[in-house]
Amino acid sequence: MSNSDGGKIGHALVEFSLYGIFPEEDISSRRILVQDLAPALSSLAAAKTRLESDIHNINEETAPDVNQWIANAKSLEDDINRTRTWANDIVRRSQAPDVSGKAIQEAEEKVEFLRREAEYNQQVYHALKSIKYVNELLDQVEQARDERRIIDSLHLLEKSWAALDAIPVSKSCRVMKLLDLRAFELKSAVHDVFDRVWDSLIQVDTENGKLAVFQTREDEQMGLADAVVGSKAYKEVDQRMTSFWHRLDEAIVGPRTNIEAQELHKVQTEDSHLTLNGSTDKTITSLFSDLDQVMTYLSERLPEELVYSLSNIMMPDLIPRIVGTWLDTAVPASLKEMDEFQNVTDVVKAFCNRIQTLKFSGFQELQEWVDDAPKVWLSKCRETALDSVRIKLAQGLGQPKEVERVETQTVTRSEGKELVANGVTSSADDDGWGAWDDGETGTKGDTNAKPEANEDDGTDAWGWGDDDGAGGEPGAPTEQPQAETSAEEDPTEAWGWGEEDTTEVVPEEPAAKPTPSSNAQTRKLTLKETYNVSSMPDPVLALVSTVLEDAAFLVGSDGNPMAGVAGGLFSLPTLVLAMFRAVSPYYYTLNAGGNMFLYNDATYLSERLSDLTKNWKTREDLTPRAVTMLRLDNDIKALQSFANRAYASEMSTQKTVIRDLLGGSQNLLQQDGLGTSDLEAQVDNATAHVRALAATWSTILSKSAWSQAVGSLIDTIAAKLIADVMDLAGIGQDEAYNIASLIARITELDDLFLPPDAPKDAVPTTAEYAGNWLRLKYLSEVLQSNLQDVRYLWMESELSLYFTVDEVVELIRLSFVDNARTREVLREIEANPQPLGAR
């Protein structure tokens, strides 16, 4: 037999051994020889090797499972053996009991173990039973949901949640997680059904402006009362009412309360629906009538719990809208429309009573508006008055108007001539100043003549004191020129503007002036002077007058519902005037000469208010209480002080500008790199600035005030140049000539104080309003004179009236060489400090 036949026999043996396959007929019937066994054994050996390898791989792959199974089997075997041992021991002890203490303890432990095992099995039983119960409840919930029995579903859900919480199993257990998930899904599904039921019971059509609230629906098993229970179960009452209010506001309430709408629609009830239909007016009565219908509809159809919740959400939104856009605009700003306002308050009060009856709440703001109607009206008056002042100021100063100041004064003849020179005229019924004319050809003597010691300036009776003078007397510049330099630095001193309200600008009594001599001629005259004011004072005065008349009317009308705020109305003019003082400086400064207009306007207001106060106290048509309630004295003083501050601010600003044009803090004559032409240009700029201001102020200020203001500016130039000259270390001949040339340019400002048609020999009145003016002119004379001429000016002329001994000595030392002649003149001047006084 060949090796192939031996291989077939080996293969058949392997197939039969492994798989039980019986060999074919030709193999099974063959006779096996000895030499066939070797190949067969080789095949079996190879098959054995393969099986061992496969078994080894399988063992390696299943080793952990097998080991675990072996361990479990061993544990089970140990438990069985231990249980068998316990059973045998129990049987043995029952046959031959062992009463030792250790045996009893072991027995008790075993009994306790068995008891715990029994309890555990009982707990497992109850847990499984509870799980089954919860599952059955959830099945019932699902059935009730499908049948749209929402309340039953919620009740069953509530029971299932309670039963689920009662199961004595950890929440992390898989079965508990499944039950909890199912309960949550059913809750969401029931909520979806509940939403559809709620929407069918409460329908809001925002596009067509309709609202329908149904108690029940034929196609729904749940009514609105049950829906409230469902909302409570889901804790969504406030949430649903918030959504309901927003949709209701969008559909009906919002369009009806939109005061800016071109056409408003009326609220009507049609077939159980609340709709917007037709048109209505914009009166308060119509508004609250429609709101009454809305509130009545809601109160009748919504359960009380929903009405309460809706009130807390709706009222904080609705009431401020009504008060802010409807009621506040209906408040009148005067007493003329008070009857209509009273009707409004009656309508609002009736509405408050109505919605309180309908069980609504949260309308305290509306109730307070009704109760505080007088205060509301007063606030509207205050707001309107203050706003009118601001609006008027924002419109600009308007067209100026000429006004006249009239005052009766007792004056002397010299004062009368001064007033005539200043443009102040007497009334038509006076004989004029010619009645006192004793043949003098002019109202003024020589400019260099010494004025009378006690001569009074008639303009001071008007409050136009010397702006820079130390004493406010017209004679001060002549009598005490040395005081001008220090006073010039404080331009507000003579006007009484340093300390507010310490000195009045317009003294009421001219008796404060030095009393004329007993033989001086005096007479009473009605003095008149004109100046310009803007268009602002008249509206302010009209507003104050109107407010006071309304206040007086309320004081005399005890039955008027607004009578209680009469006192507040009397205080309103104070606020109006305070608003004017606070806001006006900004608007006035936008115009040329604005501060001077502000000065005139505030002065005019104070005068007119003073007249109003005087006339008020004499009126017979007012009650005594109305007369005493007017208190404008402090406001008048505040206006006067405000006017003074405006004038002082303007003067201070312009003087600073002038000083800056003349070199500022530097010496005008000692600026580095500037030649004579540059200095002349600086002086020309300063004088041009004064002329420009003079032209602007001439159309605003009265003649006397203009003279004082312009004179003060000119005095600033003169004082600056005099101070700079006195600060020089020395003055040469050329430099003296240049300084005199600069002074000549400055003195051209004299033409501002000459009337337009003045003759050539007319004497300007500049020196009356510029205390340093004659000092400047005499300084020019000194700079252009020789030593003998300077001596003459001191000994024979009037230089000593305007310069002190020390100043003249200093000028001589600056201008002349120190020699015997110079020292002789200096000794003579020092020996005669007041040469004119010795005569």
Side-chain angles (χ1 to χ4, degrees), residues 317-331:
D317 186 16
L318 178 62
I319 299 303
R321 184 191 312 171
I322 295 174
V323 173
T325 60
W326 287 84
L327 297 182
D328 287 350
T329 57
V331 179

Side-chain angles (χ1 to χ4, degrees), residues 338-651:
M338 190 52 61
D339 293 339
E340 183 177 350
F341 180 63
Q342 186 61 40
N343 294 334
V344 170
T345 57
D346 293 341
V347 169
V348 176
K349 185 180 296 184
F351 178 76
C352 290
N353 295 333
R354 174 61 177 167
I355 60 178
Q356 186 175 9
T357 304
L358 296 176
K359 306 300 183 182
F360 283 95
S361 60
F363 55 92
Q364 290 80 7
E365 183 179 353
L366 187 63
Q367 187 67 54
E368 290 174 359
W369 189 92
V370 176
D371 298 338
D372 297 337
K375 294 182 180 179
V376 172
W377 176 74
L378 179 61
S379 298
K380 182 61 176 288
C381 292
R382 183 185 300 112
E383 177 184 349
T384 303
L386 298 181
D387 198 47
S388 65
V389 174
R390 183 188 57 79
I391 292 175
K392 182 62 180 176
L393 284 170
Q395 292 174 352
L397 300 185
Q399 187 67 28
K401 181 183 73 170
E402 186 180 271
V403 295
E404 187 177 61
R405 178 186 289 112
V406 180
E407 187 173 355
T408 300
Q409 296 285 344
T410 301
V411 297
T412 64
R413 182 179 66 176
S414 59
E415 291 173 340
K417 293 178 180 181
E418 294 284 349
L419 292 172
V420 170
N422 291 333
V424 182
T425 61
S426 61
S427 60
D429 56 349
D430 291 323
D431 293 332
W433 304 111
W436 291 346
D437 193 357
D438 55 359
E440 294 177 333
T441 57
T443 60
K444 293 290 178 185
D446 188 359
T447 305
N448 295 329
K450 179 179 178 181
E452 298 175 11
N454 293 327
E455 185 180 43
D456 187 18
D457 185 353
T459 59
D460 281 340
W462 296 88
W464 312 121
D466 186 2
D467 186 71
D468 288 334
E473 294 292 332
T478 303
E479 296 174 356
Q480 298 179 353
Q482 64 274 16
E484 295 299 332
T485 302
S486 61
E488 192 273 337
E489 297 300 330
D490 186 7
T492 63
E493 181 178 341
W495 292 84
W497 296 341
E499 295 292 331
E500 183 176 347
D501 294 336
T502 58
T503 305
E504 295 186 8
V505 176
V506 184
E508 296 183 359
E509 296 294 337
K513 301 294 180 180
T515 305
S517 60
S518 59
N519 57 355
Q521 292 180 308
T522 61
R523 65 182 298 181
K524 287 186 177 181
L525 289 180
T526 301
L527 307 177
K528 297 181 180 180
E529 192 172 32
T530 60
Y531 58 97
N532 289 329
V533 296
S534 70
S535 61
M536 269 306 302
D538 287 341
V540 174
L541 289 171
L543 176 61
V544 170
S545 178
T546 301
V547 170
L548 292 178
E549 291 297 333
D550 287 348
F553 174 79
L554 291 179
V555 170
S557 304
D558 295 336
N560 194 300
M562 304 299 158
V565 296
L569 209 58
F570 269 108
S571 65
L572 185 54
T574 297
L575 299 179
V576 170
L577 298 176
M579 171 65 81
F580 174 80
R581 296 195 303 272
V583 179
S584 58
Y586 169 77
Y587 292 102
Y588 274 79
T589 52
L590 300 177
N591 297 267
N595 272 331
M596 290 306 184
F597 263 123
L598 184 57
Y599 165 70
N600 281 354
D601 289 356
T603 302
Y604 179 76
L605 277 173
S606 66
E607 292 172 351
R608 299 288 80 80
L609 290 175
S610 179
D611 294 341
L612 185 150
T613 302
K614 294 177 182 177
N615 296 334
W616 188 272
K617 294 178 181 180
T618 61
R619 287 177 57 176
E620 297 181 355
D621 59 327
L622 301 177
T623 62
R625 181 166 172 260
V627 172
T628 57
M629 290 183 72
L630 178 65
R631 297 182 179 90
L632 292 178
D633 294 340
N634 291 334
D635 299 314
I636 294 172
K637 291 179 181 179
L639 278 173
Q640 292 169 348
S641 178
F642 177 70
N644 295 342
R645 289 196 302 273
Y647 183 93
S649 174
E650 179 69 9
M651 293 304 298

Side-chain angles (χ1 to χ4, degrees), residues 113 337 535 746 761 806:
F113 172 77
E337 303 174 358
S535 61
I746 295 174
D761 57 348
D806 294 338

Side-chain angles (χ1 to χ4, degrees), residues 140-167:
Q140 295 177 20
V141 170
E142 188 171 359
Q143 182 180 358
R145 179 205 63 186
D146 295 338
E147 296 174 357
R148 302 176 75 85
R149 292 183 288 110
I150 304 301
I151 299 301
D152 293 341
S153 299
L154 293 176
H155 288 321
L156 291 172
L157 269 176
E158 187 175 358
K159 290 176 64 178
S160 67
W161 287 329
L164 192 61
D165 293 336
I167 296 177

